[in-house]
Amino acid sequence: KLKTSGGPNGGKQKLSPVARKAKRTRDGKASAARKSEKATAQVFRRNAKKRGVNLAGKDVHHSKDGSMRLVSTKSNRGHHVS
């Protein structure tokens, strides 16, 4: 059983059974997408490192067109990079 943090509702959202099921489905799909994106970013970084690219302070940015590039960690926060 998961522990919940404090808060007025004990750290839980008060959802109807229908809403809870929809949220579980939605969150599961989002989780799978994040896992996939993280895996492709790891492969991209490993390949860049093999090519001798300096990765200090760099993140992999996923563009909307599906391409990836290395950008500074600072500019890759909050999806400010286009």
Coordinates of all heavy atoms in Angstrom, one line a residue:
K1 N 0.8 -1.2 0.0 CA 0.0 0.0 0.0 C 0.9 1.2 0.0 O 1.9 1.3 0.7 CB -0.9 0.0 1.2 CG -1.9 1.1 1.2 CD -2.9 0.9 2.4 CE -3.9 2.0 2.4 NZ -4.9 1.9 3.4
L2 N 0.5 2.2 -0.8 CA 1.3 3.5 -0.9 C 1.0 4.4 0.3 O -0.1 4.5 0.7 CB 0.9 4.2 -2.2 CG 1.3 3.5 -3.5 CD1 0.8 4.4 -4.7 CD2 2.8 3.4 -3.6
K3 N 2.1 5.0 0.8 CA 1.9 6.0 1.8 C 1.6 7.3 1.1 O 2.1 7.6 0.1 CB 3.2 6.1 2.6 CG 3.5 5.0 3.6 CD 4.7 5.4 4.5 CE 4.8 4.4 5.6 NZ 5.9 4.8 6.5
T4 N 0.8 8.0 1.8 CA 0.4 9.4 1.2 C 0.9 10.4 2.2 O 1.1 10.2 3.4 CB -1.1 9.5 1.1 OG1 -1.7 9.3 2.4 CG2 -1.7 8.5 0.1
S5 N 1.3 11.6 1.6 CA 1.7 12.7 2.4 C 0.5 13.3 3.1 O -0.6 12.9 2.9 CB 2.5 13.7 1.6 OG 1.6 14.2 0.6
G6 N 0.8 14.3 4.0 CA -0.3 14.9 4.7 C -1.2 15.7 3.8 O -1.5 15.3 2.7
G7 N -1.7 16.8 4.3 CA -2.6 17.6 3.5 C -4.0 17.4 4.1 O -4.3 16.5 4.8
P8 N -5.0 18.3 3.6 CA -6.3 18.2 4.2 C -7.0 16.9 3.8 O -7.9 16.5 4.6 CB -7.0 19.4 3.5 CG -6.2 19.8 2.4 CD -4.8 19.3 2.7
N9 N -6.7 16.3 2.7 CA -7.4 15.0 2.3 C -6.5 13.8 2.6 O -6.7 12.8 2.0 CB -7.7 15.1 0.8 CG -8.7 16.1 0.5 OD1 -9.6 16.4 1.4 ND2 -8.6 16.7 -0.6
G10 N -5.4 14.0 3.3 CA -4.5 12.9 3.6 C -3.7 12.6 2.4 O -3.1 11.5 2.2
G11 N -3.5 13.5 1.5 CA -2.7 13.3 0.3 C -3.4 12.6 -0.8 O -2.8 12.2 -1.8
K12 N -4.7 12.4 -0.7 CA -5.4 11.7 -1.7 C -6.4 12.6 -2.4 O -6.9 13.6 -1.8 CB -6.2 10.5 -1.1 CG -5.4 9.4 -0.6 CD -6.3 8.3 -0.1 CE -5.4 7.2 0.5 NZ -6.3 6.0 0.9
Q13 N -6.7 12.3 -3.7 CA -7.7 13.1 -4.4 C -9.0 12.4 -4.2 O -9.1 11.2 -4.2 CB -7.4 13.1 -5.9 CG -6.2 13.9 -6.3 CD -6.0 13.8 -7.8 OE1 -6.3 12.9 -8.4 NE2 -5.5 14.9 -8.3
K14 N -10.1 13.2 -3.9 CA -11.4 12.6 -3.7 C -12.0 12.5 -5.1 O -12.5 13.5 -5.6 CB -12.2 13.4 -2.8 CG -11.7 13.4 -1.4 CD -12.6 14.2 -0.4 CE -12.1 14.0 1.0 NZ -13.0 14.7 1.9
L15 N -12.0 11.3 -5.7 CA -12.5 11.1 -7.0 C -13.6 10.0 -7.0 O -13.6 9.1 -6.1 CB -11.4 10.6 -8.0 CG -10.2 11.5 -8.2 CD1 -9.2 10.8 -9.0 CD2 -10.7 12.8 -8.8
S16 N -14.6 10.2 -7.9 CA -15.6 9.1 -8.0 C -15.0 7.9 -8.6 O -13.9 8.0 -9.2 CB -16.7 9.6 -8.9 OG -16.3 9.7 -10.2
P17 N -15.6 6.7 -8.4 CA -15.0 5.5 -9.0 C -14.8 5.6 -10.5 O -13.8 5.1 -11.0 CB -16.1 4.5 -8.7 CG -16.7 5.0 -7.5 CD -16.7 6.5 -7.6
V18 N -15.7 6.3 -11.2 CA -15.5 6.4 -12.7 C -14.3 7.3 -13.0 O -13.5 7.0 -13.8 CB -16.8 7.0 -13.3 CG1 -16.6 7.3 -14.8 CG2 -18.0 6.1 -13.1
A19 N -14.2 8.4 -12.3 CA -13.1 9.4 -12.5 C -11.8 8.7 -12.1 O -10.7 8.9 -12.7 CB -13.3 10.6 -11.7
R20 N -11.8 7.9 -11.0 CA -10.5 7.2 -10.6 C -10.0 6.3 -11.6 O -8.8 6.2 -11.9 CB -10.8 6.5 -9.2 CG -9.5 6.0 -8.6 CD -9.8 5.3 -7.2 NE -10.5 6.2 -6.3 CZ -11.7 6.0 -5.8 NH1 -12.4 4.9 -6.1 NH2 -12.2 6.9 -5.0
K21 N -11.0 5.5 -12.2 CA -10.6 4.6 -13.3 C -10.0 5.3 -14.5 O -9.0 4.9 -15.1 CB -11.8 3.7 -13.7 CG -11.4 2.6 -14.6 CD -12.6 1.7 -14.9 CE -12.2 0.6 -15.9 NZ -13.3 -0.3 -16.2
A22 N -10.7 6.4 -14.9 CA -10.2 7.2 -16.1 C -8.8 7.8 -15.8 O -8.0 7.8 -16.7 CB -11.2 8.3 -16.4
K23 N -8.6 8.3 -14.6 CA -7.3 8.8 -14.2 C -6.2 7.8 -14.2 O -5.1 8.0 -14.7 CB -7.4 9.5 -12.8 CG -6.1 10.1 -12.4 CD -6.2 10.9 -11.1 CE -5.0 11.3 -10.5 NZ -3.9 11.7 -11.3
R24 N -6.5 6.6 -13.7 CA -5.5 5.5 -13.7 C -5.1 5.1 -15.1 O -4.0 5.0 -15.4 CB -6.1 4.3 -13.0 CG -5.1 3.2 -12.8 CD -5.7 2.0 -12.0 NE -6.1 2.4 -10.7 CZ -7.2 2.1 -10.1 NH1 -8.1 1.4 -10.8 NH2 -7.5 2.5 -8.9
T25 N -6.1 5.1 -16.1 CA -5.8 4.8 -17.5 C -5.0 5.9 -18.1 O -3.9 5.6 -18.7 CB -7.1 4.6 -18.3 OG1 -7.9 3.6 -17.7 CG2 -6.9 4.3 -19.7
R26 N -5.4 7.1 -17.9 CA -4.7 8.3 -18.4 C -3.2 8.4 -17.9 O -2.3 8.6 -18.6 CB -5.5 9.6 -18.0 CG -5.2 10.8 -18.8 CD -6.2 11.9 -18.5 NE -6.4 12.1 -17.1 CZ -7.6 11.9 -16.4 NH1 -8.6 11.5 -17.1 NH2 -7.7 12.2 -15.2
D27 N -3.1 8.2 -16.6 CA -1.7 8.3 -16.0 C -0.8 7.2 -16.4 O 0.4 7.3 -16.6 CB -1.8 8.3 -14.5 CG -2.4 9.6 -13.9 OD1 -2.6 10.5 -14.7 OD2 -2.7 9.6 -12.7
G28 N -1.4 6.0 -16.7 CA -0.6 4.9 -17.2 C -0.1 5.1 -18.5 O 1.1 4.8 -18.8
K29 N -0.9 5.7 -19.4 CA -0.5 6.0 -20.8 C 0.6 7.1 -20.7 O 1.6 7.0 -21.5 CB -1.6 6.5 -21.6 CG -2.6 5.4 -22.0 CD -3.7 5.9 -22.8 CE -4.7 4.8 -23.1 NZ -5.9 5.3 -23.8
A30 N 0.5 8.1 -19.9 CA 1.5 9.2 -19.7 C 2.8 8.6 -19.2 O 3.9 9.0 -19.7 CB 1.0 10.3 -18.8
S31 N 2.7 7.7 -18.3 CA 3.9 7.0 -17.7 C 4.7 6.3 -18.8 O 5.9 6.3 -18.8 CB 3.5 6.1 -16.6 OG 4.6 5.4 -16.1
A32 N 3.9 5.5 -19.6 CA 4.6 4.8 -20.7 C 5.3 5.7 -21.7 O 6.4 5.4 -22.1 CB 3.6 3.9 -21.4
A33 N 4.7 6.8 -21.9 CA 5.3 7.8 -22.9 C 6.6 8.4 -22.3 O 7.6 8.5 -23.0 CB 4.3 8.9 -23.2
R34 N 6.5 8.7 -21.0 CA 7.7 9.2 -20.3 C 8.9 8.2 -20.3 O 10.0 8.6 -20.5 CB 7.4 9.7 -18.9 CG 6.7 11.0 -18.7 CD 6.7 11.5 -17.3 NE 6.1 10.5 -16.4 CZ 4.8 10.5 -16.1 NH1 4.0 11.3 -16.8 NH2 4.3 9.6 -15.3
K35 N 8.5 7.0 -20.0 CA 9.5 5.9 -20.0 C 10.2 5.8 -21.4 O 11.4 5.7 -21.5 CB 8.9 4.6 -19.7 CG 9.1 4.1 -18.3 CD 8.5 2.7 -18.2 CE 8.4 2.3 -16.7 NZ 7.8 1.0 -16.5
S36 N 9.4 5.8 -22.4 CA 9.9 5.7 -23.8 C 10.8 6.9 -24.1 O 11.9 6.7 -24.7 CB 8.7 5.6 -24.8 OG 9.2 5.7 -26.1
E37 N 10.4 8.1 -23.8 CA 11.1 9.3 -24.1 C 12.5 9.3 -23.3 O 13.5 9.7 -23.8 CB 10.3 10.5 -23.7 CG 10.7 11.8 -24.4 CD 9.8 12.9 -24.3 OE1 9.8 13.6 -23.3 OE2 8.9 13.0 -25.2
K38 N 12.4 8.8 -22.1 CA 13.7 8.8 -21.3 C 14.6 7.7 -21.9 O 15.8 8.0 -22.0 CB 13.3 8.3 -19.8 CG 14.5 8.3 -18.9 CD 14.1 8.0 -17.5 CE 15.4 8.0 -16.6 NZ 15.1 7.7 -15.2
A39 N 14.1 6.6 -22.4 CA 15.0 5.6 -23.0 C 15.7 6.1 -24.2 O 16.9 5.9 -24.4 CB 14.2 4.3 -23.3
T40 N 14.9 6.8 -25.1 CA 15.5 7.4 -26.3 C 16.5 8.4 -26.0 O 17.6 8.5 -26.7 CB 14.4 7.9 -27.3 OG1 13.7 8.9 -26.6 CG2 13.5 6.8 -27.8
A41 N 16.3 9.2 -24.9 CA 17.2 10.3 -24.5 C 18.5 9.6 -24.0 O 19.6 10.1 -24.3 CB 16.6 11.1 -23.5
Q42 N 18.4 8.5 -23.3 CA 19.6 7.8 -22.8 C 20.5 7.3 -24.0 O 21.7 7.4 -24.0 CB 19.2 6.7 -21.9 CG 18.8 7.2 -20.5 CD 18.3 6.0 -19.7 OE1 17.9 4.9 -20.1 NE2 18.3 6.2 -18.4
V43 N 19.8 6.7 -25.0 CA 20.5 6.2 -26.1 C 21.2 7.3 -26.9 O 22.4 7.3 -27.2 CB 19.5 5.5 -27.1 CG1 20.2 5.1 -28.4 CG2 19.0 4.2 -26.4
F44 N 20.5 8.5 -27.0 CA 21.1 9.6 -27.7 C 22.3 10.1 -27.0 O 23.3 10.4 -27.6 CB 20.0 10.7 -27.8 CG 20.4 11.9 -28.6 CD1 20.2 11.9 -29.9 CD2 21.0 13.0 -28.0 CE1 20.6 13.0 -30.7 CE2 21.3 14.1 -28.7 CZ 21.1 14.1 -30.1
R45 N 22.2 10.2 -25.6 CA 23.4 10.7 -24.8 C 24.5 9.7 -24.9 O 25.7 10.2 -25.1 CB 23.0 10.9 -23.4 CG 22.2 12.2 -23.1 CD 22.0 12.3 -21.6 NE 23.2 12.6 -20.8 CZ 23.6 13.8 -20.6 NH1 23.0 14.8 -21.0 NH2 24.7 13.9 -19.9
R46 N 24.3 8.4 -24.9 CA 25.4 7.5 -24.9 C 26.1 7.6 -26.3 O 27.3 7.5 -26.3 CB 24.8 6.0 -24.7 CG 24.8 5.6 -23.3 CD 24.5 4.1 -23.2 NE 23.2 4.0 -22.5 CZ 22.2 3.5 -23.0 NH1 22.2 3.0 -24.2 NH2 21.0 3.5 -22.3
N47 N 25.3 7.7 -27.3 CA 25.9 7.8 -28.7 C 26.7 9.1 -28.8 O 27.8 9.1 -29.4 CB 24.9 7.7 -29.8 CG 24.3 6.3 -29.9 OD1 24.9 5.3 -29.5 ND2 23.1 6.2 -30.4
A48 N 26.2 10.2 -28.2 CA 26.9 11.5 -28.3 C 28.2 11.3 -27.5 O 29.3 11.8 -27.9 CB 26.1 12.6 -27.7
K49 N 28.2 10.7 -26.4 CA 29.4 10.5 -25.6 C 30.5 9.7 -26.3 O 31.6 10.0 -26.3 CB 29.1 9.8 -24.2 CG 30.2 9.8 -23.3 CD 29.7 9.2 -21.9 CE 30.9 9.2 -20.9 NZ 30.5 8.7 -19.6
K50 N 30.0 8.6 -27.0 CA 30.9 7.8 -27.9 C 31.6 8.7 -29.0 O 32.7 8.4 -29.3 CB 30.2 6.7 -28.5 CG 29.8 5.5 -27.5 CD 29.1 4.4 -28.2 CE 28.5 3.4 -27.3 NZ 27.7 2.4 -27.9
R51 N 30.8 9.7 -29.5 CA 31.4 10.5 -30.5 C 32.3 11.6 -29.9 O 32.9 12.3 -30.7 CB 30.3 11.2 -31.3 CG 29.4 10.3 -32.1 CD 28.5 11.1 -33.1 NE 27.8 12.1 -32.4 CZ 26.5 12.1 -31.9 NH1 25.9 10.9 -32.0 NH2 25.9 13.1 -31.4
G52 N 32.4 11.7 -28.6 CA 33.3 12.6 -28.0 C 32.7 14.0 -27.7 O 33.4 14.9 -27.4
V53 N 31.4 14.0 -27.6 CA 30.7 15.3 -27.3 C 30.8 15.6 -25.8 O 30.6 14.6 -25.0 CB 29.2 15.3 -27.8 CG1 28.5 16.5 -27.4 CG2 29.2 15.0 -29.3
N54 N 31.1 16.8 -25.4 CA 31.1 17.2 -24.0 C 29.7 17.3 -23.6 O 29.0 18.2 -24.0 CB 31.9 18.5 -23.8 CG 32.0 18.9 -22.4 OD1 31.6 18.1 -21.5 ND2 32.5 20.1 -22.1
L55 N 29.2 16.5 -22.6 CA 27.9 16.5 -22.2 C 27.6 17.3 -20.9 O 26.5 17.3 -20.4 CB 27.4 15.0 -22.0 CG 27.4 14.1 -23.2 CD1 27.0 12.7 -22.8 CD2 26.4 14.7 -24.2
A56 N 28.7 17.9 -20.4 CA 28.5 18.6 -19.1 C 27.5 19.8 -19.3 O 27.6 20.6 -20.2 CB 29.9 19.2 -18.7
G57 N 26.5 19.8 -18.4 CA 25.5 20.8 -18.4 C 24.5 20.7 -19.6 O 23.9 21.7 -19.9
K58 N 24.4 19.6 -20.2 CA 23.6 19.4 -21.4 C 22.5 18.4 -21.1 O 22.6 17.5 -20.4 CB 24.4 18.9 -22.6 CG 25.5 19.9 -23.0 CD 24.9 20.9 -23.9 CE 25.8 21.9 -24.5 NZ 27.2 21.8 -24.5
D59 N 21.3 18.7 -21.7 CA 20.1 17.8 -21.7 C 19.7 17.5 -23.1 O 20.0 18.3 -24.0 CB 18.9 18.5 -21.0 CG 18.9 18.2 -19.5 OD1 19.6 17.3 -19.1 OD2 18.1 18.9 -18.9
V60 N 19.0 16.4 -23.3 CA 18.5 16.0 -24.6 C 17.1 16.7 -24.7 O 16.3 16.5 -23.8 CB 18.4 14.5 -24.8 CG1 17.7 14.2 -26.2 CG2 19.7 13.9 -24.7
H61 N 16.9 17.5 -25.8 CA 15.6 18.1 -26.0 C 14.9 17.4 -27.1 O 15.4 17.2 -28.2 CB 15.8 19.6 -26.4 CG 14.5 20.3 -26.8 ND1 13.6 20.6 -25.8 CD2 14.1 20.6 -28.0 CE1 12.5 21.1 -26.5 NE2 12.8 21.2 -27.8
H62 N 13.7 17.0 -26.8 CA 12.8 16.3 -27.8 C 12.0 17.4 -28.5 O 11.1 18.0 -27.8 CB 11.8 15.3 -27.1 CG 12.5 14.1 -26.6 ND1 13.2 14.1 -25.4 CD2 12.7 12.9 -27.1 CE1 13.7 12.9 -25.1 NE2 13.4 12.1 -26.2
S63 N 12.2 17.6 -29.7 CA 11.4 18.5 -30.5 C 10.0 18.0 -30.9 O 9.8 16.7 -30.9 CB 12.1 19.0 -31.7 OG 13.4 19.6 -31.4
K64 N 9.1 18.8 -31.2 CA 7.8 18.4 -31.6 C 7.8 17.5 -32.9 O 6.9 16.7 -33.1 CB 6.8 19.6 -31.8 CG 6.5 20.2 -30.5 CD 5.6 21.4 -30.7 CE 5.3 22.0 -29.4 NZ 4.5 23.2 -29.5
D65 N 8.8 17.7 -33.7 CA 8.9 17.0 -35.0 C 9.5 15.6 -34.8 O 9.7 14.8 -35.7 CB 9.6 17.7 -36.1 CG 11.1 18.0 -35.7 OD1 11.5 17.6 -34.6 OD2 11.8 18.6 -36.5
G66 N 9.9 15.3 -33.5 CA 10.5 14.0 -33.2 C 12.0 14.0 -33.2 O 12.6 13.0 -32.8
S67 N 12.6 15.1 -33.6 CA 14.1 15.1 -33.6 C 14.6 15.4 -32.2 O 13.8 15.9 -31.3 CB 14.6 16.1 -34.5 OG 14.2 17.4 -34.1
M68 N 15.9 15.1 -31.9 CA 16.5 15.4 -30.6 C 17.7 16.2 -30.8 O 18.4 16.0 -31.8 CB 16.8 14.1 -29.9 CG 15.6 13.3 -29.5 SD 16.0 11.8 -28.5 CE 16.5 10.8 -29.8
R69 N 18.1 17.0 -29.8 CA 19.3 17.7 -29.8 C 19.7 18.0 -28.4 O 18.9 18.0 -27.5 CB 19.2 19.0 -30.7 CG 18.2 20.0 -30.2 CD 18.0 21.1 -31.2 NE 16.9 21.9 -30.7 CZ 17.0 23.2 -30.5 NH1 18.1 23.8 -30.6 NH2 15.9 23.9 -30.1
L70 N 21.0 18.3 -28.3 CA 21.6 18.7 -27.0 C 21.4 20.2 -26.7 O 21.8 21.0 -27.6 CB 23.0 18.3 -26.8 CG 23.3 16.8 -26.8 CD1 24.8 16.5 -26.9 CD2 22.8 16.2 -25.5
V71 N 20.9 20.5 -25.6 CA 20.7 22.0 -25.2 C 21.2 22.1 -23.8 O 21.3 21.1 -23.1 CB 19.3 22.5 -25.4 CG1 18.8 22.4 -26.8 CG2 18.3 21.7 -24.5
S72 N 21.4 23.3 -23.3 CA 21.9 23.5 -22.0 C 20.7 23.1 -21.0 O 19.5 23.2 -21.3 CB 22.2 25.0 -21.7 OG 21.1 25.8 -21.6
T73 N 21.1 22.6 -19.9 CA 20.2 22.1 -18.9 C 19.2 23.3 -18.5 O 18.0 23.1 -18.3 CB 20.9 21.6 -17.6 OG1 21.8 20.6 -18.0 CG2 19.9 21.0 -16.6
K74 N 19.8 24.5 -18.4 CA 19.0 25.7 -18.0 C 17.9 26.0 -19.0 O 16.8 26.2 -18.6 CB 20.0 26.9 -17.8 CG 19.3 28.1 -17.4 CD 20.3 29.3 -17.3 CE 19.6 30.6 -16.9 NZ 20.5 31.7 -16.9
S75 N 18.2 25.9 -20.3 CA 17.2 26.3 -21.3 C 16.2 25.2 -21.6 O 15.2 25.4 -22.2 CB 17.9 26.7 -22.5 OG 18.5 25.7 -23.2
N76 N 16.5 24.0 -21.1 CA 15.6 22.9 -21.4 C 14.5 22.7 -20.3 O 13.7 21.8 -20.3 CB 16.4 21.6 -21.5 CG 15.6 20.5 -22.3 OD1 14.8 20.8 -23.1 ND2 15.8 19.3 -21.9
R77 N 14.5 23.6 -19.3 CA 13.5 23.5 -18.3 C 12.2 24.2 -18.7 O 12.3 25.3 -19.2 CB 14.0 24.0 -16.9 CG 15.1 23.2 -16.4 CD 14.7 21.8 -16.0 NE 15.7 21.0 -15.5 CZ 16.2 19.9 -16.2 NH1 15.8 19.6 -17.4 NH2 17.2 19.2 -15.7
G78 N 11.0 23.6 -18.4 CA 9.8 24.3 -18.7 C 9.4 24.4 -20.2 O 8.6 25.1 -20.6
H79 N 10.1 23.6 -21.0 CA 9.8 23.5 -22.5 C 9.9 24.9 -23.2 O 9.1 25.2 -24.0 CB 8.5 22.9 -22.7 CG 8.4 21.5 -22.1 ND1 9.0 20.5 -22.6 CD2 7.7 21.1 -21.0 CE1 8.8 19.4 -21.9 NE2 8.0 19.7 -20.9
H80 N 10.9 25.7 -22.8 CA 11.1 27.0 -23.5 C 11.9 26.8 -24.8 O 11.9 27.8 -25.6 CB 11.9 27.9 -22.5 CG 11.2 28.2 -21.3 ND1 10.0 28.9 -21.3 CD2 11.4 27.9 -20.0 CE1 9.5 29.0 -20.0 NE2 10.4 28.5 -19.2
V81 N 12.5 25.7 -25.0 CA 13.2 25.5 -26.3 C 12.3 25.1 -27.3 O 11.3 24.3 -27.1 CB 14.3 24.4 -26.1 CG1 15.1 24.2 -27.3 CG2 15.2 24.7 -24.9
S82 N 12.4 25.6 -28.5 CA 11.5 25.3 -29.6 C 12.1 24.2 -30.5 O 13.2 23.8 -30.4 CB 11.2 26.5 -30.5 OG 12.3 27.0 -31.0

